[in-house]
Amino acid sequence: MTKLGLPVPPGFTIVTKTCIEFLKSGEKLTDELIEEMKVALNKVEKKAGKVFGDPEHPLLVSVRSGAKISMPGMMDTVLNVGLNPKTMEGLIKITNHERFVKDSYRRLITMFADVVCGLDISKFENKLEEVKTANKLSFDYELTPELLDGLIVDFLLIFKELYGSPFPEDPMTQLLMTIKAVFKSWNNKRAIAYRKFEGIPDDIGTAVNVQTMVFGNYDENSGTGVLFTRNPATGEKALYGEYLMQAQGEDVVAGIRTPVSISELKKQLPKIYSSLEKFALTLEKHYKDMQDIEFTIESGKLYILQTRAGKRTGTASAKIALDLLSEGLISKEEVIMRVTPRDLESSMFPSIVWANEKSHDYFNIEDFETKLHKHSIDELTKEAKISHAEIIGEGLPAGPGAAAGHIIFDSDLAEQLAKGQKEPNFDVKLWKTVDGKKVPKLILIKKETSPEDFHGMVASEGILTMTGGLTSHAALVGRQIGKRVIVGASNSKMDLLGHNLRTSDGRILSEGDVVTLEVFDHARVYLGSLPIYTPNELPETFLTILDYCDEIAQIKVRTNADKRLDAETAMKFKAVGIGLARTEHQFFDALDLVQEMILADTKSERIETLNKMLSLQQKDFEDLFEVLNGKPATIRLLDPPLHEFLPKELEIRQRAWLEMLNPRQTEENLRILRKVIYYQEANPMLGLRGCRLSLLFPEITEMQVRAVIQAALAVHDRGIVVHPEIMIPLVGFKEEFTKSREIVDRIAKLVFEEKGKQITYHVGTMIEIPRAALTADEIAAGELGADFFSFGTNDLHQMTLGFSRDDVGKFLPYYVDEHIIPSDPFQTIDVDGVGKLMDTCVQLGRKSASESEKYLKVGICGEQGGDPHSIEFCYKIGLDYVSCSPFRVPIARLAAAQATLKFPKPAKKYLKSN
Amino acid sequence: MTKLGLPVPPGFTIVTKTCIEFLKSGEKLTDELIEEMKVALNKVEKKAGKVFGDPEHPLLVSVRSGAKISMPGMMDTVLNVGLNPKTMEGLIKITNHERFVKDSYRRLITMFADVVCGLDISKFENKLEEVKTANKLSFDYELTPELLDGLIVDFLLIFKELYGSPFPEDPMTQLLMTIKAVFKSWNNKRAIAYRKFEGIPDDIGTAVNVQTMVFGNYDENSGTGVLFTRNPATGEKALYGEYLMQAQGEDVVAGIRTPVSISELKKQLPKIYSSLEKFALTLEKHYKDMQDIEFTIESGKLYILQTRAGKRTGTASAKIALDLLSEGLISKEEVIMRVTPRDLESSMFPSIVWANEKSHDYFNIEDFETKLHKHSIDELTKEAKISHAEIIGEGLPAGPGAAAGHIIFDSDLAEQLAKGQKEPNFDVKLWKTVDGKKVPKLILIKKETSPEDFHGMVASEGILTMTGGLTSHAALVGRQIGKRVIVGASNSKMDLLGHNLRTSDGRILSEGDVVTLEVFDHARVYLGSLPIYTPNELPETFLTILDYCDEIAQIKVRTNADKRLDAETAMKFKAVGIGLARTEHQFFDALDLVQEMILADTKSERIETLNKMLSLQQKDFEDLFEVLNGKPATIRLLDPPLHEFLPKELEIRQRAWLEMLNPRQTEENLRILRKVIYYQEANPMLGLRGCRLSLLFPEITEMQVRAVIQAALAVHDRGIVVHPEIMIPLVGFKEEFTKSREIVDRIAKLVFEEKGKQITYHVGTMIEIPRAALTADEIAAGELGADFFSFGTNDLHQMTLGFSRDDVGKFLPYYVDEHIIPSDPFQTIDVDGVGKLMDTCVQLGRKSASESEKYLKVGICGEQGGDPHSIEFCYKIGLDYVSCSPFRVPIARLAAAQATLKFPKPAKKYLKSN
């Protein structure tokens, strides 16, 4: 900023390299450095016309960190360095502001104790409160110089007691200690964690900025403020911000006095305002982004203290980026890098209107949604009271957005209420209108959901389950149908007790009570109804940016969709195909038939039932092919173990107990029970499922393949291009794939012959068993090897890490908190472990396929396929596409483009795809 | 043999290279080959004084395979090639043996149809039976020339009907087709499978031997026989074998006429006998092994047709090898390679005295074991009747040996009966004497066993479970205490119906019925009591050979032992340490305390109970250290999930139902139920266990480490050297290891300080999660990295292959049968998949450790550690030791030496171990 000619208080910077040297060499400041620093300080003294430590004209400085990449709040700052009893006297003489100077000294002691010495500062705070109470004072600035004198004596005593030696009065000692502290803060726990999370390297270090202090509380012509060069909420191009006269930065933040809008400054100090306007323009042009500027006016003179890219809402982010593009400041590529997946997410899904998200303060507006029709959010929030929201539970974020509603524990009842077929027996506060009827908004709460809860989930605004992970039924299905979903809440001590919900804090809620779910990076349950803003659809700005993304992205985005509706949603979001259609979801729709099929004692009985299922499956596939209209669809053959379609042993036994109140079972129960027990497994994840099932019961595969091929031919007859890709799940051995492919090819040939026509199809496999990745070369080898791979990263993580996603709830949160693992592997690919395996797999598979002149298409269809970090990794190892749930498609498209821009050269692909 | 000067019927050999060329070039015999063959045939004709295809002096030949490595029964042979109506007439004229010649032609047609044309020969057999029945004949040789003429006509018709073209009468066509068939038989299914199993390369091919036919049924001075140069049952150095005059080889095998002992030949044809003696010696000297020789006498002239290394019993194998060593024929190294793990196994464990193991015919001797005290097996088997044993079930071979006993379904009852505390309510046929009391021998049958069945298992001779795999409780514990164990029998359709056993063939057995278990490579249940021979201890010969093994083996053998008795057994078998002491087995002994600990609601309650467990654990460790007497012991911290120590939900609920006949639960039941439900897991294998448990409940680890260190110090005080190695289970992330090691080091330091003395200990980890193998370099890195790795190959296979060992029963047998996988990975390491991972792990870990100047010791403690194929692999990738159950130690020592001899150069080890 100094170079740009802006009025910055004089200072100097110790560069990041010094930090690294300092940390490596046993945390010592070298004599050389101290000498250089003194020379620099000397220059500053000359510019400021003051001398550091001089009792007559004392120079005070601030010491701030300055990392290459902004790490807000992670590192330390100390103000007023250079004050001691002598310089304090000098400063009082010059300024004639005894209270201000003594207050600054008091603050220095506290800040130094905290930041430099790492002491517990509650004793200082208690003493301050004690003095204020004794003197019946409400505000710090009411402390008289005399009271401050007393406090300073007390503070110095406390400091000595806690630290073991007295507060350093020598200004140079203060300065050197502070610089060391800032350097060291590079390695404090929260900074390390932040870097790990954001992927910032550990070895770049922080700079230290030593700068002349200026004071906004100097006199009545002084003040301080914060300025955004554009509106951070909407992106509108106009100065935005607030200021306070006779105040220091702290006072603005503390919220004791209400700051004034920056537009007032235009009237109050027009010259200052027009300077600010000019500086804002300069800074925006220089940094090519909206700026968040801190300024101070000392005795009528404007100083710019700091500038950085301003935080903004998702909507603003997109608007600003596009405006900067049309202003010629940035390129299309830069536009793409300017918006974050989180920006997009918050613009897609309903979210709570927070006053302060961090402290959980919200704008308390009654009947928010109705009023929103007449007013803008901005207008509404102005008139709102601020209230504090209470968290009553947390869980895993399974379906993003926010939703408020009445809690309900029964899916049948939920449906009846939501359809207005039944009167609620609770006082309804939240209504919605469905087909002209006013019905209550509901939040469905279950221990875990099963396919039998589907109608209840559809009927509700949000779903909350006690157990289960991010890939449990509730998570998968809820996300698929676009609901807010929180799973695994029992880890926050929430619990279901019959038809009551015990909250984390021990409260008991019952049917009809109102809660609000908020699900983004976190997943929280709040008591009562919070105001929710629901964007109607993806803003135009984002649609434009996403089109830019598609031009650039070198990895494509498909979707996971089982049904027509899912597929339609995904096509609207411009997915380029289906990466995973799970056929078992179709099975759940025909549960009676499936159970009949499983209970069949002979193969011929089984085939009979399978024949009945054929047309149902075929219809679903026809739907998908129609919606896709020429785009490819990867259809996975039946994957889950058969017992997932059967009731649980306990259920049957209990049914018998309840029905008969004696230990005998009915004949029918016994029949089912025998099958249930037969199919029970100790570890179903590692049991009889996937291709193992289709090799043992080839008739199931035969039916499914017939359904796919018949559907493809039927849709093809209607003039629509079809690209079926049949995917064999759970392959671990080459022979499993070969034998499964034989069945597929045999049936396809048969159907082609029957119908007298044919289409092209591909057969590939899911890579979800570590062994498959290790032997990918075998599986992809030869003419009859796999045509494509798709990483089933859910199972691949389960097996490679030994983490059952249904059971990790007891330790995974602890692991993430304690940094035993960097992040939840069911959200973000474990790059160091599973990632290594994936990379090996792609290389082995592609190389082997290329030896048969084939290009092996590779994608990912696990949950992680919608996660930006994971998409970046997938791009880097050369995958052709990611596939994610329909509502994640826009985020994935953005992430795909960003990855391409960040890493222009991905892995070697052997043969080029056509 | 011809070169050795032995009287071999003239012939020639087409070498193996030709076979490979034939198979590669579309299965065509080249003109060049045919020419060469004709030249060779010409030479044979000259030697034999006969001409192939000549109607006057026809030469007949046999065509046999001859692979480099003997593959008994795998490949094909055709005799009497060259016969047709014309040569038949000529042969009759010369020999004047019309019946013999026509019978030979009849046989040629059948054999040719079978071997060369691959036809179903049942029609030939039926026709033969039909003719015999119609003429009231019992034996083939009773067929008159006239009947044979009719049969030949019929056979030729059948042949044409089945094959589509007539039987080839041209001798050269017969010969070429036969040669082709033998070449092709290299790739028949059973030969491929055999090679895969035995590790014989696929590209070495078979030779074809074309040899002049000689006839043992030529006249009364003709005969045929089989000779072993030493006794194949005992190894005794004396000719052994049998012969038949006026017979062909087939007749000896068919068992219609009883062959005569070879000693009779000495009296009957002393010259021939002394020739045989001379030839036997020549062949033994040449082949340096006991030979199994086929000979034929044609009109008083002796021919040696074939010789090969003779099959022998385990005991004989060892004796012969050592005798050959002392005779100076072979070296110590060769002795080691001469005995097989199977030889050793059958000499260690009880086995059934079979007359013919393949056809399940046994020597039916009443009260076998009592009589055995007075007679040798040989004597006994001479007087025995032969009976046929009936298989009534099969399972997985979990504990080797054979055992007969009365079936029993209850562990308490088993103990009471075995201690003579209760009178059996069945008719006892099998007794044993315990502490002077005669008590019944028992076979315990359960769905699956749990720790509560331990006393019942001890009381029984054998254990049979319906479910569970090779590493289920029954398998692990049963093997550990040296019982015969069969698990997973329900896959053979055996089933438990209350206190009845349904057999595979639908029979129902009840308490007291007698069955015999036989467990080696297979695991069979036979109806009734079969004679069992129990070796008292490992024969002296094997002890000697095992000592030779230890001199040579470059990979050591430790044992898996949890208790003093296990450790003592293993030390007797010369294990060099404990590779795995599972501390949870100690927990099962204190189940009440463990449950109390788990049910504790607070950490302090938990610590209180843990303190009570401390002395129990410490005592067990002191026992182990004492027995080891300076050898190292790897002690694994608690591994299984806590719910393994709790009753099952269903049990508790049922208990409530049964106790109260209403759906309410008692308070105590509810308390347990809540915990049980809390700790329930969908996939316990991948859940809260191993180090995850000890990071969440560090107090458990603290107690265990304290017990280990206190035990070590106490035993050290008694003047015994101790080498504790503490092993952290289930590590997947570096941080898991680091944090666990911190606990171990902290507690060890504390105990050292308390006791004022210290010892050396090591901390390492089990490699059982694929991610650990993939990131072995991280886990082994640095001073505080792992000191050792031990492959937990049970879990490593479960996760890498996605095979739950408790659930694979439904598909693994099918997979092995269909060659989808080469063998059961829970017995033999999956070299291509898991093996790759293990190799990577060892390389990464050792390299990383070497960078900190450390040598990383690596072993294996999974079940596969006792499997010879796996031991070979472990040696090849450079492991330092294998660890197996005590009774597998001798087999592992043998396998270790054999691996070393087979592959003199194993993997690079980075730094040498001390």
Side-chain angles (χ1 to χ4, degrees), chain B residues 460-476:
Chain B
S460 308
E461 309 303 303
I463 297 127
L464 171 65
T465 71
M466 298 301 113
T467 60
L470 287 170
T471 40
S472 61
H473 177 268
L476 288 174

PDB file of all heavy atoms in Angstrom, chain B residues 460-476:
ATOM      1  N   SER B 460     -13.744 -82.831  25.578  1.00  0.00           N
ATOM      2  CA  SER B 460     -14.084 -83.628  24.398  1.00  0.00           C
ATOM      3  C   SER B 460     -12.850 -84.009  23.594  1.00  0.00           C
ATOM      4  O   SER B 460     -11.795 -83.397  23.708  1.00  0.00           O
ATOM      5  CB  SER B 460     -15.048 -82.843  23.507  1.00  0.00           C
ATOM      6  OG  SER B 460     -16.144 -82.385  24.278  1.00  0.00           O
ATOM      7  N   GLU B 461     -13.012 -85.050  22.773  1.00  0.00           N
ATOM      8  CA  GLU B 461     -11.928 -85.456  21.876  1.00  0.00           C
ATOM      9  C   GLU B 461     -11.889 -84.555  20.650  1.00  0.00           C
ATOM     10  O   GLU B 461     -10.841 -84.309  20.063  1.00  0.00           O
ATOM     11  CB  GLU B 461     -12.146 -86.894  21.380  1.00  0.00           C
ATOM     12  CG  GLU B 461     -12.425 -87.914  22.466  1.00  0.00           C
ATOM     13  CD  GLU B 461     -11.319 -87.943  23.497  1.00  0.00           C
ATOM     14  OE1 GLU B 461     -10.170 -88.173  23.115  1.00  0.00           O
ATOM     15  OE2 GLU B 461     -11.621 -87.688  24.697  1.00  0.00           O
ATOM     16  N   GLY B 462     -13.088 -84.146  20.237  1.00  0.00           N
ATOM     17  CA  GLY B 462     -13.155 -83.324  19.039  1.00  0.00           C
ATOM     18  C   GLY B 462     -14.323 -82.365  19.135  1.00  0.00           C
ATOM     19  O   GLY B 462     -15.218 -82.540  19.965  1.00  0.00           O
ATOM     20  N   ILE B 463     -14.286 -81.351  18.291  1.00  0.00           N
ATOM     21  CA  ILE B 463     -15.322 -80.315  18.309  1.00  0.00           C
ATOM     22  C   ILE B 463     -15.829 -80.119  16.893  1.00  0.00           C
ATOM     23  O   ILE B 463     -15.034 -80.048  15.947  1.00  0.00           O
ATOM     24  CB  ILE B 463     -14.754 -78.997  18.866  1.00  0.00           C
ATOM     25  CG1 ILE B 463     -14.314 -79.205  20.324  1.00  0.00           C
ATOM     26  CG2 ILE B 463     -15.792 -77.883  18.789  1.00  0.00           C
ATOM     27  CD1 ILE B 463     -12.911 -78.787  20.600  1.00  0.00           C
ATOM     28  N   LEU B 464     -17.134 -80.037  16.775  1.00  0.00           N
ATOM     29  CA  LEU B 464     -17.757 -79.853  15.459  1.00  0.00           C
ATOM     30  C   LEU B 464     -18.722 -78.678  15.572  1.00  0.00           C
ATOM     31  O   LEU B 464     -19.610 -78.703  16.421  1.00  0.00           O
ATOM     32  CB  LEU B 464     -18.507 -81.133  15.081  1.00  0.00           C
ATOM     33  CG  LEU B 464     -19.402 -81.091  13.851  1.00  0.00           C
ATOM     34  CD1 LEU B 464     -18.583 -80.862  12.586  1.00  0.00           C
ATOM     35  CD2 LEU B 464     -20.191 -82.404  13.711  1.00  0.00           C
ATOM     36  N   THR B 465     -18.516 -77.621  14.761  1.00  0.00           N
ATOM     37  CA  THR B 465     -19.470 -76.512  14.799  1.00  0.00           C
ATOM     38  C   THR B 465     -20.130 -76.348  13.434  1.00  0.00           C
ATOM     39  O   THR B 465     -19.557 -76.689  12.407  1.00  0.00           O
ATOM     40  CB  THR B 465     -18.814 -75.171  15.189  1.00  0.00           C
ATOM     41  OG1 THR B 465     -17.999 -74.727  14.113  1.00  0.00           O
ATOM     42  CG2 THR B 465     -17.998 -75.290  16.453  1.00  0.00           C
ATOM     43  N   MET B 466     -21.330 -75.807  13.469  1.00  0.00           N
ATOM     44  CA  MET B 466     -22.107 -75.661  12.246  1.00  0.00           C
ATOM     45  C   MET B 466     -21.652 -74.426  11.463  1.00  0.00           C
ATOM     46  O   MET B 466     -21.572 -74.447  10.247  1.00  0.00           O
ATOM     47  CB  MET B 466     -23.604 -75.515  12.588  1.00  0.00           C
ATOM     48  CG  MET B 466     -24.192 -76.722  13.292  1.00  0.00           C
ATOM     49  SD  MET B 466     -24.039 -78.246  12.311  1.00  0.00           S
ATOM     50  CE  MET B 466     -22.889 -79.165  13.308  1.00  0.00           C
ATOM     51  N   THR B 467     -21.403 -73.330  12.185  1.00  0.00           N
ATOM     52  CA  THR B 467     -21.030 -72.087  11.504  1.00  0.00           C
ATOM     53  C   THR B 467     -19.584 -71.745  11.846  1.00  0.00           C
ATOM     54  O   THR B 467     -18.900 -72.505  12.507  1.00  0.00           O
ATOM     55  CB  THR B 467     -21.944 -70.934  11.939  1.00  0.00           C
ATOM     56  OG1 THR B 467     -21.799 -70.776  13.350  1.00  0.00           O
ATOM     57  CG2 THR B 467     -23.387 -71.240  11.624  1.00  0.00           C
ATOM     58  N   GLY B 468     -19.134 -70.590  11.414  1.00  0.00           N
ATOM     59  CA  GLY B 468     -17.804 -70.125  11.781  1.00  0.00           C
ATOM     60  C   GLY B 468     -16.765 -70.598  10.786  1.00  0.00           C
ATOM     61  O   GLY B 468     -16.950 -71.604  10.105  1.00  0.00           O
ATOM     62  N   GLY B 469     -15.686 -69.833  10.713  1.00  0.00           N
ATOM     63  CA  GLY B 469     -14.629 -70.142   9.773  1.00  0.00           C
ATOM     64  C   GLY B 469     -13.396 -70.621  10.510  1.00  0.00           C
ATOM     65  O   GLY B 469     -13.440 -70.937  11.703  1.00  0.00           O
ATOM     66  N   LEU B 470     -12.295 -70.630   9.787  1.00  0.00           N
ATOM     67  CA  LEU B 470     -11.064 -71.191  10.322  1.00  0.00           C
ATOM     68  C   LEU B 470     -10.450 -70.339  11.414  1.00  0.00           C
ATOM     69  O   LEU B 470      -9.453 -70.715  12.014  1.00  0.00           O
ATOM     70  CB  LEU B 470     -10.068 -71.394   9.184  1.00  0.00           C
ATOM     71  CG  LEU B 470     -10.460 -72.562   8.291  1.00  0.00           C
ATOM     72  CD1 LEU B 470      -9.606 -72.604   7.052  1.00  0.00           C
ATOM     73  CD2 LEU B 470     -10.315 -73.860   9.073  1.00  0.00           C
ATOM     74  N   THR B 471     -11.008 -69.191  11.635  1.00  0.00           N
ATOM     75  CA  THR B 471     -10.469 -68.370  12.712  1.00  0.00           C
ATOM     76  C   THR B 471     -11.572 -68.024  13.684  1.00  0.00           C
ATOM     77  O   THR B 471     -11.486 -67.045  14.404  1.00  0.00           O
ATOM     78  CB  THR B 471      -9.822 -67.110  12.123  1.00  0.00           C
ATOM     79  OG1 THR B 471     -10.661 -66.652  11.064  1.00  0.00           O
ATOM     80  CG2 THR B 471      -8.460 -67.413  11.573  1.00  0.00           C
ATOM     81  N   SER B 472     -12.624 -68.825  13.687  1.00  0.00           N
ATOM     82  CA  SER B 472     -13.679 -68.651  14.671  1.00  0.00           C
ATOM     83  C   SER B 472     -13.158 -69.108  16.029  1.00  0.00           C
ATOM     84  O   SER B 472     -12.068 -69.680  16.139  1.00  0.00           O
ATOM     85  CB  SER B 472     -14.889 -69.495  14.270  1.00  0.00           C
ATOM     86  OG  SER B 472     -14.530 -70.858  14.226  1.00  0.00           O
ATOM     87  N   HIS B 473     -13.943 -68.860  17.054  1.00  0.00           N
ATOM     88  CA  HIS B 473     -13.534 -69.234  18.407  1.00  0.00           C
ATOM     89  C   HIS B 473     -13.207 -70.719  18.489  1.00  0.00           C
ATOM     90  O   HIS B 473     -12.162 -71.122  19.005  1.00  0.00           O
ATOM     91  CB  HIS B 473     -14.656 -68.875  19.392  1.00  0.00           C
ATOM     92  CG  HIS B 473     -14.354 -69.290  20.809  1.00  0.00           C
ATOM     93  ND1 HIS B 473     -14.742 -70.505  21.315  1.00  0.00           N
ATOM     94  CD2 HIS B 473     -13.671 -68.663  21.786  1.00  0.00           C
ATOM     95  CE1 HIS B 473     -14.322 -70.609  22.573  1.00  0.00           C
ATOM     96  NE2 HIS B 473     -13.666 -69.496  22.874  1.00  0.00           N
ATOM     97  N   ALA B 474     -14.092 -71.548  17.963  1.00  0.00           N
ATOM     98  CA  ALA B 474     -13.882 -72.998  18.034  1.00  0.00           C
ATOM     99  C   ALA B 474     -12.554 -73.372  17.394  1.00  0.00           C
ATOM    100  O   ALA B 474     -11.785 -74.175  17.938  1.00  0.00           O
ATOM    101  CB  ALA B 474     -15.022 -73.724  17.338  1.00  0.00           C
ATOM    102  N   ALA B 475     -12.276 -72.776  16.237  1.00  0.00           N
ATOM    103  CA  ALA B 475     -11.063 -73.112  15.501  1.00  0.00           C
ATOM    104  C   ALA B 475      -9.828 -72.669  16.277  1.00  0.00           C
ATOM    105  O   ALA B 475      -8.895 -73.446  16.496  1.00  0.00           O
ATOM    106  CB  ALA B 475     -11.092 -72.457  14.123  1.00  0.00           C
ATOM    107  N   LEU B 476      -9.839 -71.412  16.698  1.00  0.00           N
ATOM    108  CA  LEU B 476      -8.653 -70.858  17.357  1.00  0.00           C
ATOM    109  C   LEU B 476      -8.370 -71.589  18.662  1.00  0.00           C
ATOM    110  O   LEU B 476      -7.258 -72.047  18.905  1.00  0.00           O
ATOM    111  CB  LEU B 476      -8.855 -69.366  17.642  1.00  0.00           C
ATOM    112  CG  LEU B 476      -8.814 -68.459  16.411  1.00  0.00           C
ATOM    113  CD1 LEU B 476      -9.165 -67.033  16.796  1.00  0.00           C
ATOM    114  CD2 LEU B 476      -7.420 -68.511  15.790  1.00  0.00           C
TER     115      LEU B 476
END
